[in-house]
């Protein structure tokens, strides 16, 4: 999510450019997004700093008209009851409609997700028989893994290619020249 100062700066800029004192210089501005998702990133900040940086904390917020979409078209097009249930569960979490356990954490429904014991089991769950199915591009396009930490991504990115047949080859590129004479040669062609 953008820092509130970016929209406030846009407001001042459009007022100056259009020589108009109306909000955003009289320009209609359409914003889209989900305010339950990512807060603005502020290095070395507190939670209060992040909340203060949100558009909802800006003086512009009182002029925002909120329009909400009511139907999740992606889920409706799939016609998959489990996708519809999962979508509703996510909205209930975002709307604060789930129960809070004694620990202070939200309590998820038992069918919310599948718990996997190891990364190897996760890889097998998402990419079953990857050593034979990897040739099917449509099969690959239907699969993805998300991880909260880069260290987990790095481990998965090392493990999964090792399951594929053939030799693993890494191609590296460089955008600098070590020897100054090499750059002069390449420029002459």
């Amino acid at each position: 999510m953008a820092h509130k100062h970016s929209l406030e700066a846009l407001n001042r800029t459009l007022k100056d450019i259009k020589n108009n004192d109306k909000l955003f210089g009289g320009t209609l501005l359409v914003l889209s997004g989900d305010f339950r998702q990512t807060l603005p990133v502020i290095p070395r900040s507190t939670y209060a700093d992040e909340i203060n940086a949100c558009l909802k904390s800006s003086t512009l917020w009182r002029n925002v008209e909120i329009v909400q979409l009511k139907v999740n078209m992606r889920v409706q097009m799939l016609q998959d009851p489990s996708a519809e249930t999962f979508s509703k569960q996510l909205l209930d979490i975002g709307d604060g409609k789930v129960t809070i356990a004694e620990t202070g954490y939200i309590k998820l429904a038992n069918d919310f997700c599948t718990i996997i014991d190891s990364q190897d089991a996760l890889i097998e769950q998402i990419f079953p028989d990857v050593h034979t199915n990897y040739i099917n591009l449509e099969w690959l396009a239907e699969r993805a893994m998300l991880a909260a930490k880069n260290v987990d991504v790095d481990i998965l990115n090392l493990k999964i290619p090792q399951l594929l047949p053939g030799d693993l080859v890494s191609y590296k590129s460089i955008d600098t020249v070590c020897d100054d004479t090499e750059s002069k040669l390449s420029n002459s062609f």
Side-chain angles (χ1 to χ4, degrees), residues 9-64:
L10 178 62
N11 179 38
R12 288 189 303 273
T13 303
L14 287 173
K15 284 180 177 182
D16 288 346
I17 290 172
K18 298 185 107 190
N19 197 21
N20 186 334
D21 283 336
K22 291 182 182 177
L23 190 66
F24 294 104
T27 303
L28 176 65
L29 191 66
V30 178
L31 306 173
S32 68
D34 185 347
F35 287 95
R36 293 177 288 206
Q37 290 185 1
T38 310
L39 291 172
V41 176
I42 304 169
R44 296 173 297 284
S45 66
T46 64
Y47 182 70
D49 294 332
E50 292 172 350
I51 296 298
N52 188 43
C54 290
L55 178 59
K56 285 185 172 184
S57 299
S58 172
T59 56
L60 297 173
W61 184 251
R62 66 175 174 258
N63 299 301
V64 173

Side-chain angles (χ1 to χ4, degrees), residues 15-122:
K15 284 180 177 182
D16 288 346
I17 290 172
K18 298 185 107 190
N19 197 21
N20 186 334
D21 283 336
K22 291 182 182 177
L23 190 66
F24 294 104
T27 303
L28 176 65
L29 191 66
V30 178
L31 306 173
S32 68
D34 185 347
F35 287 95
R36 293 177 288 206
Q37 290 185 1
T38 310
L39 291 172
V41 176
I42 304 169
R44 296 173 297 284
S45 66
T46 64
Y47 182 70
D49 294 332
E50 292 172 350
I51 296 298
N52 188 43
C54 290
L55 178 59
K56 285 185 172 184
S57 299
S58 172
T59 56
L60 297 173
W61 184 251
R62 66 175 174 258
N63 299 301
V64 173
E65 179 183 343
I66 299 172
V67 180
Q68 291 182 326
L69 300 175
K70 302 291 183 195
V71 178
N72 186 331
M73 294 305 293
R74 184 178 297 162
V75 170
Q76 188 175 16
M77 295 296 286
L78 285 174
Q79 296 180 346
D80 179 2
S82 64
E84 193 170 328
T85 301
F86 184 69
S87 174
K88 184 180 178 332
Q89 288 172 329
L90 286 179
L91 288 174
D92 287 346
I93 291 169
D95 293 337
K97 294 180 182 175
V98 291
T99 57
I100 308 284
E102 301 82 39
T103 59
Y105 294 108
I106 61 172
K107 176 131 177 65
L108 298 175
N110 292 336
D111 64 343
F112 183 76
C113 62
T114 304
I115 305 296
I116 301 292
D117 295 333
S118 68
Q119 286 183 344
D120 293 330
L122 177 63

Side-chain angles (χ1 to χ4, degrees), residues 171-179 182:
Y171 296 97
K172 299 183 181 186
S173 65
I174 189 166
D175 62 356
T176 58
V177 177
C178 299
D179 183 4
E182 291 179 13

